[in-house]
Amino acid sequence: MPETLFKVDLTKPMEKQDVPGHNRWHPDIPAVVSVKPGDVFRIECKDWTDGQISNNDDPSDIEKVDLNIVHVLSGPIRVEGAEPGDILVVDILDIGALPGDEWGFTGIFSRENGGGFLTDHYPKAAKACWDIQGIYTSSRHIPGVRFAGITHPGLIGCAPSMELLQTWNKRERALVEKGGPPWKPAIPDLAALPNPEQAVLGTLAGSEFDRVAAEAARTVPPREHGGNCDIKNLSKGSKIYFPVYVDGANLSMGDIHFSQGDGEISFCGAIEMSGYIDLHVEIIKGGVEKYAMVNPIFKPGPVEPHYSEYLIFEGISVDEFSGEQYYLDAHVSYRNACLNAINYLKTFGFTGEQAYLLLSCAPVEGRISGIVDVPNACCTLALPTAIFEKDIVPT
Ligand code: ZN
């Protein structure tokens, strides 16, 4: 077993850990540990909510979750020799649940507290807890379904430079001031701007803490550095190429998902869990310019659940309430593909909430199938039929 360089005590919040991690992005959050290129090591992570959700049948913890605390991350990890303009190559050698904590949760956030992709249809909080047995999972809250996980960190990336951080803050603030597109529901907010409330910034204290807490970016969106990409295929065996912006790269990660469908649609949509990640790192000097890199690039690993039969639901960019036509809008089309799949599953005895939770966390494939045939974008959602105990194909 590789040496564990970041440990978590699941009975304590992140800020009370012996070595605390962080829940904001800022170049001045100090590294907690240093590694060399070529090193192999283990990092432990808490679940993204810092232990706010319990393994029970009561969704009131999901309803009341404090989103100022998310996402709690492990790191930053300094990689000796990494400089701005280099590529940090990260191999995810292994990833899994922590011993004694083999369970996860999927949530629908209430409209009043974050919402999700389909919050206009499913405005109330709901929760499904999942038992993890080796590579498989099943839930007492969604009977009739069992599948293999595609376990990955929802969130991983290097610290931004001060210049990049300021770019993020400026453009996200401008969006909030400008307002959203016509289909934008009132919830969730357009962007999560810097908020010092509940900030955890490693070992920073005093006036340095206050300054960094006021400037630091929230971890909610994916950005140039990767971050909260929620890409299910960053699983075991994958190799990720990250742009480096600060000396030492300062790599952080968390938000481990046992499984997730493309889009992670309910927002707390993966099977969220604590866990460990075994990593190997290397550096490609000057790689950012050499490969014209803006955002991370990755190679998926050779170990993923293998499903060969799917039932695929189509969606187009027409508003499901008003019937209004939108122009090549993949957001509206994917929403319709998801709603079509949910309404279909309801005819097999699932509740709408169960189907919504299932599409969020099961290994479903989402695609932009057509993006040029005016005025409709066509998105598809592919549901692996083998995850169901009974046959769900039309007869
Ligand atoms: Zn997550």
Side-chain angles (χ1 to χ4, degrees):
M1 192 179 103
E3 190 188 349
T4 304
L5 297 185
F6 190 92
K7 281 185 195 299
V8 294
D9 177 344
L10 296 177
T11 66
K12 292 182 184 164
M14 186 55 91
E15 64 177 340
K16 295 269 165 34
Q17 301 288 323
D18 290 344
V19 178
H22 60 108
N23 62 5
R24 301 289 189 270
W25 291 113
H26 196 290
D28 297 336
I29 298 171
V32 294
V33 66
S34 192
V35 300
K36 292 191 179 67
D39 281 358
V40 172
F41 52 95
R42 174 167 291 194
I43 299 293
E44 294 180 351
C45 301
K46 292 197 72 183
D47 84 274
W48 76 297
T49 70
D50 205 12
Q52 293 184 69
I53 310 303
S54 301
N55 188 359
N56 60 29
D57 304 333
D58 177 5
S60 60
D61 48 8
I62 291 278
E63 192 177 351
K64 291 187 296 225
V65 69
D66 184 350
L67 290 176
N68 288 327
I69 294 170
V70 304
H71 303 70
V72 288
L73 304 181
S74 300
I77 300 151
R78 177 183 168 79
V79 183
E80 282 178 31
E83 296 173 294
D86 295 346
I87 288 174
L88 182 67
V89 186
V90 176
D91 292 293
I92 298 190
L93 300 176
D94 198 7
I95 180 165
L98 292 174
D101 203 44
E102 293 95 345
W103 73 283
F105 60 90
T106 306
I108 298 173
F109 283 172
S110 73
R111 184 201 289 278
E112 290 71 36
N113 193 8
F117 192 46
L118 305 178
T119 203
D120 287 338
H121 298 265
Y122 298 99
K124 289 209 181 85
K127 174 167 87 174
C129 294
W130 298 85
D131 297 317
I132 296 167
Q133 294 176 322
I135 65 165
Y136 292 106
T137 193
S138 58
S139 171
R140 62 192 181 273
H141 298 124
I142 309 180
V145 173
R146 182 175 183 258
F147 51 86
I150 179 165
T151 306
H152 58 277
L155 198 162
I156 182 167
C158 296
S161 63
M162 199 61 204
E163 188 188 2
L164 183 59
L165 172 66
Q166 284 167 350
T167 301
W168 295 349
N169 286 343
K170 192 174 162 204
R171 74 186 181 201
E172 289 171 25
R173 190 172 298 281
L175 173 71
V176 170
E177 283 164 7
K178 176 170 142 244
W183 46 258
K184 168 71 183 70
I187 305 279
D189 291 338
L190 280 162
L193 299 177
N195 178 359
E197 205 67 30
Q198 302 283 9
V200 180
L201 306 171
T203 52
L204 281 187
S207 61
E208 262 304 89
F209 180 96
D210 294 340
R211 176 184 67 84
V212 169
E215 295 170 347
R218 297 298 310 275
T219 56
V220 178
R223 299 186 180 94
E224 287 86 340
H225 67 152
N228 193 27
C229 287
D230 292 317
I231 299 171
K232 72 181 192 312
N233 309 86
L234 297 183
S235 58
K236 222 174 262 199
S238 63
K239 186 186 277 293
I240 319 173
Y241 303 86
F242 289 105
V244 173
Y245 310 100
V246 299
D247 281 335
N250 282 7
L251 177 72
S252 296
M253 69 210 68
D255 187 23
I256 295 182
H257 297 161
F258 181 77
S259 175
Q260 185 209 290
D262 285 341
E264 206 200 0
I265 56 173
S266 81
F267 181 51
C268 184
I271 298 179
E272 308 286 348
M273 67 173 195
S274 63
Y276 70 87
I277 312 179
D278 292 345
L279 302 163
H280 166 266
V281 291
E282 292 286 353
I283 295 168
I284 300 175
K285 295 306 288 181
V288 167
E289 192 183 335
K290 184 176 177 190
Y291 294 107
M293 178 181 272
V294 177
N295 297 73
I297 302 169
F298 72 97
K299 266 177 73 193
V303 185
E304 289 189 355
H306 183 72
Y307 292 103
S308 55
E309 292 188 9
Y310 291 88
L311 197 58
I312 304 187
F313 297 85
E314 302 180 8
I316 55 170
S317 45
V318 174
D319 186 272
E320 71 275 21
F321 290 115
S322 66
E324 189 177 345
Q325 178 72 60
Y326 285 105
Y327 176 71
L328 298 180
D329 194 317
H331 185 112
V332 178
S333 325
Y334 196 54
R335 189 172 70 219
N336 278 305
C338 294
L339 287 167
N340 290 339
I342 289 170
N343 289 330
Y344 182 85
L345 288 175
K346 281 163 77 175
T347 70
F348 287 84
F350 294 98
T351 66
E353 283 78 8
Q354 285 175 325
Y356 184 17
L357 289 162
L358 184 61
L359 298 187
S360 300
C361 70
V364 306
E365 303 279 332
R367 298 234 161 70
I368 295 176
S369 300
I371 199 75
V372 292
D373 299 313
V374 293
N376 275 326
C378 178
C379 287
T380 52
L381 182 142
L383 193 52
T385 52
I387 72 173
F388 297 94
E389 260 167 25
K390 60 183 176 192
D391 190 3
I392 60 141
V393 174
T395 52

